[in-house]
Amino acid sequence: MTPAEHLGSPEHEQRAAALLARMTLREKVAQLVGFWVDEGGEVVAPMQDAMAGEEPTVEAFAAEGLGHLTRVYGTRPVDPVERVTWLRDLQHWFRTETRLGIPALVHEECLTGLAAWKAASFPTPLAWGASFDPELVQEMGEAIGTSMRTLGVHQGLAPVLDVIRDARWGRVEECMSEDPYVVGTLGTSYVRGLQSTGVIATLKHFVGYSASRAGRNLAPVHAGPRELADVLLLPFEMAVLDGGVRSVMHSYAEVDGLPVAADASLLTDLLRERWGFEGTVVADYFGIAFLHSHHAVARDLGDAAVQALTAGIDIELPTGNAYLEPLVAKVLDGAVPEALVDRAVLRALRQKSELGLLDPGFEVVVPESIDLDPPAHRAVAARLAEESLVLLTNDGTLPLAQPGRVAVIGPNADRVPALFGCYAFVNHVMGHHPDLPTGIDVPTVLDAVREEWPAAEVTYSVGCAVDDEDRSGIPAAVEAARTAEVAVLVVGDQAGLFGRGTVGEGCDRDSLELPGVQRELVEAVLDTGTPVVLVLVTGRPYAVRWALDRCAAVVQAFFPGEEGAGAIARVLSGRVNPSGRLPVSLPRSAGAQPYSYLHPVLGGTSDASTLDTTPALPFGHGLSYTTFAHTDLRVAGPTGRPEARTDDEVDVTVMVTNTGERRGADVVQLYGRDVVGSVTRPTAQLIGYRRVELGPGESAEVRFRVPTTRLALSDRSMVRVVEPGEVELWVGGSCDERETAATLDLTGSVHPVSTRDERWVRSTVGPARR
């Protein structure tokens, strides 16, 4: 039996029920909490220091059993072989020294790879979005899961399915796109890859987290029910119904005054009763206690436990602030029925059974050696980094052929941490351990440029730091640029946690200018007259419209991971033809936020306001060293005509031709617009997409099989429906570009959408029509 098949075997419910019948109340609640072995170490969760109490030994804490072991690899650097040996012995202790002999489930962060020392670190999710390559994201998920299983880890706290609403929010770099369908397809692919190895994926953060006021972390969310249903919930629905995800984590958000952690309409009515989710709902770290300490909707931890358990949260993470003694007291007082505890325990035990933890022969296997960063994983990381790089502008300077003198300048040119997001181990933990090696081989951009052009004279100047006011290095950078044929200027972000970076969890911005004095550095180097190739290594899109016309070329690299520097150098030299597309609009300014290309007519620029919201570059934009033409868009319903009933599927075909002189990959983007709706509709909506690689002069036909549910909306009664009427369809190089267009007529009655309806656009690539 494969690991994935084991998750669905039928005997697990009976095994869980038999164990439950033998349990005392305290043994039950013990299965609903985690224990953070290294909690007293680095702060890697909000309010971790305030929530931490006295640290007992795991044996003392778990005398009556334990649900989860929290981040045994991911809190501090530990040798993989030594730690898995320790874990084997601890799991043996659970089996032999606790009354019921139930091992603990081990969870870890794994957003950009397993967050552990010496483990491969892949590009950040915003880079996945730029790749528009769900198959490659699935391959990455499988690679991550393989490493986790090697270490005896059972659950990963990823992917993040929050839809980007405001570029000022620090956690943008953990998200994939401002388009919910892109998030849903890529996120579901990650789930499929990870869970194919037998490791449980966990959807984060259900729901509304990314729509916080003014882009502030943990700020209130005032999204309306239609925005929730039509934008923010869509990726979660896809990952549950189409990905079969086995765990969901609630968000910290309060939506219109009601914290999600206490909202049964979301955690039970929608998630379980409508969508049929059968896995576990886990708390975001300390999220149950936050009902008391942050949201002030609970009188104490016991009240918080009752509200969360009733709403549908099964497991409290990272430890047992509320679900141990406070919950026990509430059960004994009659404030909450023990049956609700039993409900959560059955879900937790069933999951342990599915994972094999309750098998009689369960044992953690200790390999003789462990390689968490093997060549195969690095190859996936390199491909994803290459596909994610977006060429924003180019006056013909790129690709660089054989430059004689290159000045590499900027605060992100020669720093390893610059290539990673805040949940990569390099930035999440290793900053607290400066005396230890990174644990993985990571060349910087400077290293990669020198390797790419070994005969060139490459000079380096840092110019300035990422985020301070020190300008003393700018004159040296100017001098380096003045004597070079081309300046490669590498600027951007430093990811971190809770104020320790310019982007990342708790690192929000009130400006979308480049941090610190980096703009001054760029403008000073531009003033030399030397051609400048600007490389933005960032975790969010910045307002750099001022640089787009002045620079010879601009390349956007959303934290590209351990192989990212080499990918950047290969794109600069032309060995790799850039094919990334913007998964988020490049903002005009911070004042234009929040912004999404999915806006109705009045969400765009109009004569009714002096504020221009038009982005500097639109969603879907990205250049190549070749050119592509999109022609002959055709639409056919079941009758062959450009019409279909509201519950049908539609065939949409388009011809794609590489009209340039180099081989390259195009992202074919199919957009639509509901001309008249019962509620206001976006002026453009991505319907489907497909990566296509073509040689010079080569053409292909891309066929999209579009379910009409891609045009669904929540009507005036908040029912998800497909309405009859005219739909404009087009294909172009971005949401703003219509190269070839057609019209579809949806006929018949209004179609109420159900979970049985198809959600995915299926696509194929075939030979060009003659």
Side-chain angles (χ1 to χ4, degrees), residues 39-81:
E39 184 179 6
E42 291 74 35
V43 174
V44 294
M47 301 300 293
Q48 177 183 333
D49 47 354
M51 293 290 176
E54 297 237 352
E55 227 181 307
T57 65
V58 63
E59 292 84 1
F61 185 92
E64 294 177 282
L66 183 66
H68 280 233
L69 281 166
T70 294
R71 300 189 60 183
V72 299
Y73 295 95
T75 308
R76 61 183 178 86
V78 292
D79 178 79
V81 174

Side-chain angles (χ1 to χ4, degrees), residues 40-252:
E42 291 74 35
V43 174
V44 294
M47 301 300 293
Q48 177 183 333
D49 47 354
M51 293 290 176
E54 297 237 352
E55 227 181 307
T57 65
V58 63
E59 292 84 1
F61 185 92
E64 294 177 282
L66 183 66
H68 280 233
L69 281 166
T70 294
R71 300 189 60 183
V72 299
Y73 295 95
T75 308
R76 61 183 178 86
V78 292
D79 178 79
V81 174
E82 291 178 4
R83 196 59 158 182
V84 76
T85 303
W86 169 88
L87 182 59
R88 176 200 62 191
D89 295 343
L90 181 58
Q91 295 283 38
H92 181 75
W93 179 87
F94 280 116
R95 290 191 62 211
T96 59
E97 300 299 325
T98 60
R99 187 177 78 89
L100 296 172
I102 303 173
L105 189 154
V106 181
H107 76 256
E108 293 288 347
E109 297 284 359
C110 60
L111 184 62
T112 57
L114 172 61
W117 195 37
K118 301 184 179 180
S121 195
F122 297 88
T124 203
L126 202 50
W128 313 352
S131 78
F132 285 84
D133 192 340
E135 289 81 11
L136 185 53
V137 169
Q138 181 167 334
E139 191 174 341
M140 177 191 66
E142 185 174 351
I144 294 168
T146 301
S147 291
M148 296 174 79
R149 279 189 64 83
T150 299
L151 297 179
V153 178
H154 309 105
Q155 181 168 352
L157 303 186
V160 171
L161 298 189
D162 297 307
V163 179
I164 296 169
R165 307 300 280 168
D166 193 323
R168 296 171 296 180
W169 189 47
R171 302 193 79 169
V172 163
E173 58 102 352
E174 298 176 52
C175 305
M176 300 173 217
S177 178
E178 70 187 55
D179 183 90
Y181 184 70
V182 173
V183 178
T185 50
L186 295 176
T188 301
S189 297
Y190 178 97
V191 168
R192 289 170 173 168
L194 193 76
Q195 292 193 165
S196 72
T197 68
V199 174
I200 291 171
T202 309
L203 307 184
K204 302 188 333 187
H205 305 85
F206 185 76
V207 63
Y209 190 31
S210 59
S212 58
R213 275 287 177 93
R216 291 175 51 243
N217 196 39
L218 269 66
V221 173
H222 294 285
R226 186 167 287 104
E227 183 179 353
L228 278 175
D230 291 355
V231 178
L232 302 176
L233 282 168
L234 179 65
F236 293 94
E237 181 183 26
M238 294 176 71
V240 170
L241 295 176
D242 304 318
V245 75
R246 302 300 296 161
S247 192
V248 172
M249 175 181 282
H250 79 83
S251 87
Y252 288 131

